Amino acid sequence: MPYTTAWDDPATRRAWTKLIACAILGQILWPAAWVGMLAWYVSSPTWTLWLFFAPMLYAFYRTCLQPAYFVWAFRARRLLREYPWQVHKNPESGIGKIRDAGPADVWLKFPDPERTTETVAMVMRSHLRAMFWARRLGPGVKPAKAAQVEEVWFAGDPRFAGVIAVPGPRRLYVICQRLSYRGIPAGTQEAGPQAVERARRAGIRVEGPS
């Protein structure tokens, strides 16, 4: 990639703007939908209540979920402002059967930045905007869908966290190790001091002295 960081690419900034615009739109529309269906639910005849109950619950769920989209969008921006895009052709991926992955967890492997002969597995732990990826990675995927993620862009450090995307970039998705964003500092993952400091600048909590 010809840019120092992914954020230097105008297309990346446009993709992120679209991401935050969707979050803002959802923050407006889902609460409005929930309140509207709740009002309809209260005032409707008894026999129609079952029509609105499930959609109303889903709208309430999405209303509660919307703030998380803002959190992940800004985490994505910090990572994109610190790391460049790297292009990976057909990165190894799968579902479950590796350490720290549940039976249904989708994962990808990227090269270790300091040990190029080794790879680091990253599990898709958050379901936010994950459906696109989950349906196209791992074994048993139809060739037409698998071809859509044949080339994966990655900006970050797989030992901590990063942003993946399909060429464009599109479908930005924050992927991280278990403790990187859970309020508990991640271990240094045998990363050198410069990699650790860079991860901290990208908003990742890493244990040890600053």
Side-chain angles (χ1 to χ4, degrees), residues 23 27 62-72 128:
Q27 189 66 55
R62 289 301 302 262
T63 297
C64 294
L65 191 65
Q66 282 308 125
Y69 284 95
F70 287 97
V71 173
W72 284 94
L128 299 180

Side-chain angles (χ1 to χ4, degrees), residues 1 84-92 108-113 119 149-156 158 163-167:
M1 289 293 170
W85 284 120
Q86 302 169 24
V87 176
H88 299 278
K89 293 282 189 179
N90 294 310
E92 184 181 354
L108 298 97
K109 286 187 177 181
F110 297 105
D112 187 312
T119 58
V149 292
E150 188 175 57
E151 181 177 293
V152 176
W153 290 13
F154 178 77
V163 178
I164 59 174
V166 292

Side-chain angles (χ1 to χ4, degrees), residues 21-201:
C22 289
I24 293 172
L25 190 62
Q27 189 66 55
I28 296 170
L29 295 181
W30 283 114
W34 175 63
V35 171
M37 282 189 282
L38 179 61
W40 193 287
Y41 183 84
V42 172
S43 61
S44 294
T46 304
W47 68 271
T48 64
L49 297 184
W50 67 274
L51 293 172
F52 296 95
F53 187 69
M56 184 182 67
L57 284 183
Y58 182 71
F60 177 72
Y61 164 74
R62 289 301 302 262
T63 297
C64 294
L65 191 65
Q66 282 308 125
Y69 284 95
F70 287 97
V71 173
W72 284 94
F74 283 101
R75 284 175 175 170
R77 187 177 71 166
R78 292 194 69 172
L79 288 160
L80 295 169
R81 290 169 70 95
E82 188 61 39
Y83 294 98
W85 284 120
Q86 302 169 24
V87 176
H88 299 278
K89 293 282 189 179
N90 294 310
E92 184 181 354
S93 64
I95 300 176
K97 299 181 181 180
I98 65 168
R99 182 182 176 183
D100 294 333
D105 288 342
V106 178
W107 51 266
L108 298 97
K109 286 187 177 181
F110 297 105
D112 187 312
E114 297 180 48
R115 301 167 185 80
T116 54
T117 59
E118 299 180 16
T119 58
V120 181
M122 303 193 77
V123 180
M124 301 182 75
R125 305 189 187 283
S126 171
H127 70 282
L128 299 180
R129 306 190 187 282
M131 191 63 70
F132 171 87
W133 293 96
R135 290 178 174 174
R136 289 162 176 80
L137 294 170
V141 177
K142 293 182 179 180
K145 284 193 172 183
Q148 295 175 20
V149 292
E150 188 175 57
E151 181 177 293
V152 176
W153 290 13
F154 178 77
D157 187 325
R159 295 167 295 185
F160 302 110
V163 178
I164 59 174
V166 292
R170 296 177 293 111
R171 302 286 182 178
L172 302 182
Y173 177 85
V174 175
I175 188 168
C176 64
Q177 296 295 348
R178 181 177 295 278
L179 298 179
S180 297
Y181 285 125
R182 299 288 182 178
I184 304 173
T188 58
Q189 312 294 331
E190 299 183 359
Q194 291 184 337
V196 170
E197 182 57 33
R198 193 175 196 183
R200 287 178 174 143
R201 290 198 304 267

